[in-house]
Amino acid sequence: MRKEIIISSTANEHRIAITEDGRLAELFVESPEKERNVGDVYLGRVAKVMPGIRAAFVDIGMSQDAFLHFSDVGAIEEFSSMFDEDDEDEEEGTSQPSAPEQPTGNGTPAPAEAASRQRRRDERPAEVNLQKGQEILVQISKEAQGKKGVRVRSAISLPGRFLVLIPFDGKVGVSKKLANFKEKRRLRKTVRSMLPKGFGAIIRTVAEGKPDELLKQDLDSLFQQWENIEKGVKGAKAPVLVYKDMDTTSSVIRDLFQEAVERIVVDDKRLFKEVKAYVQSSSPDMAERIELYRDREPIFDRFGIEKEFQSLFGKKVWLKSGGYLYIEKTEAMTVVDVNSGRYAAKREQELNSLRTDLEAAREITRQLRLRDIGGLIVIDFIDLEDEKNKKKVYDEMKKEMKRDRAKITVLPMTEFGLVQITRQRIRQTVQMSFSEACPTCAGSGLVQSKNTTLNQIERWIKRYSTDRKGWRIELRVNPAIAEPLTRGMWSRIRKLEVQNRVLVKVVPDPNIMSDDFKFFSPKVGREITQDYQS
C-alpha cells in the first residue's frame, strides 16, 4: 500500500491528509478555533466525587469540569510526593496507567484500552480515594464532545518519536505490531537500561532497527518534559496548565511518519523547514522523504484531495455499484443505512445484495476513519438470507478495520441485518470541526412549517381576545409568514380581526425566524408575546 502525507497550509489553518493508494484515508485540521488539547497535562482540583457512576469531575479551568473515571485513576500517592523535594528519591509505585501504544487520529498515542484497564483493575485497590477539593495531576485523553467536557486520566504518559515515557511505572512494554522477537528483546533490554528507577516506557513500532543513540536522545527529551512538569506543579495553584503537547501538525509527523509512508509533501516553506529539521534530528535516514510543493495549483487540488474533502459533509456516499450509504449522526449513536440503488431491480437478489454489502463494508470502514466517527455505530446492511453470506460481510469489515489505529469492537450481523460497532472516540468528528448547529433548526435539519406557525398565531390571538387589555396590537413576523397572513382582500388576518374583535398591524421583519413571531401592545408599550402563550 502506497501511503503519503500531504500538508496544506494557510495563514490560519493547517490541513494534514493521509492518503492510501492515492485515496484520502484520514484528515486532521489545525486552526486557532479548533486548538488541540489531547495530551495536555493540568494540575486540577476535584470538584465532585460520584461513587454511583465511579467517576469524579475535576476543575481544570475550562468552562466544563473534566470527567475522570475511576478506571483512569493512577498514581495518586506518587503524585503527592512531587510537592515535597525530600521525597523525590523514594520508590514510586507501579500502578499501570492507560498507557498509549499506537498513535490515535489526533497525534496522541491511543491506549491499548482493554488490556491496560484490566491490569489497572487487578493491580489497584477496589476503592479510589478521591476527596472534593483535592489537587490532582491529570492528562486530557478525549476532547470535549457536544455537551460533554473533556475526559482525563491521572496516569500520565508522554509520547515521543520512538518511546512513550510513563512516570510512576517500572514496566517496559513493546508494540504488538513489532513481530521480530530478537529485536523486541534488544529494544526492551536497551530501554530498560536507560530508565531510572520507578519509570516505565512503551517502545513504539517505529523504534524497530533504530540505534541506541536515537533512543537515548528521544528518552532524554521526554525526561526533560517530565522535569518541566514537576517544576510547573511545585508552587502552582490549581487549576493550571503545566504541560502543552505538540500541535496537530507536529504530532502527526511524530506519530504517523513511519517506514510505510513514502513521502511528506508540504506547500509552505516555513513549515517545510520545521518538519525537515524535526525528522532530521529524530530519523535522519527518512529526511529525504520530505518534499516542498512549489506548483501554483493548490496542493489538495493537485493530489485530488479537495474533492474528497468536500464530500465529507454530505450524508449520502455513493458506491461504485450504484448503491449508496446514508450516514446519520444522532446524540446517542451514528446510524449507517446501506441501499442497493440500481441493483435492486436486477435478478439474483442474494448475490447482488452480497456484492453491495461487501462494497459497503469496505467504504464504511473508510468513512469511519475519514470522518473520525466514534462511539456507538449501527449499520443496517441489505438483508441476506444465507448465514455464510452474513459471515462474509462481517469478516470483510474485520479485515478492513485492521487499517484503523483506533480501538474498534464489531459484533456479528444480527438476523435483522444489523452490525453494531464501537469505535474509540478521541476528538470531534471532522464534520463537527468544520461546522456548527444551524441556528434555525438547532441541528435537526427540520424547521417548523409555515402552516404550523400561522396556526400558533391564530391561537395566540384567540387567547388574547378572551382577556385583552386593548383592542390594537402589532404582530412582527418573518416576511415568509407575513405574506400568507395578509394575502387578498379578505385575508387570513382580516378574518381573525373580525372573529376576535381586535385590530392587528402586521409588520414584516426579516430578523425574525420563520417559526417565530412577536406581539406588541401600543397601550402598555412592550412585547406581550409570552403573556398569552400556552
Side-chain angles (χ1 to χ4, degrees), residues 65-101:
D65 289 341
F67 179 82
L68 172 63
H69 194 270
F70 286 175
S71 64
D72 292 323
V73 175
I76 300 295
E77 295 79 9
E78 290 80 357
F79 157 73
S80 300
S81 69
M82 292 172 62
F83 292 102
D84 188 351
E85 294 184 2
D86 295 335
D87 295 333
E88 283 182 350
D89 294 331
E90 289 186 3
E91 181 177 353
E92 284 90 359
T94 57
S95 176
Q96 179 71 16
S98 52
E101 187 274 298

Side-chain angles (χ1 to χ4, degrees), residues 7 36 38 150 162 196 219 306 319 439 480 532:
I7 303 177
R36 173 181 175 272
V38 171
V150 298
F162 307 112
L219 196 58
E306 192 67 37
L319 304 174
Y532 299 95

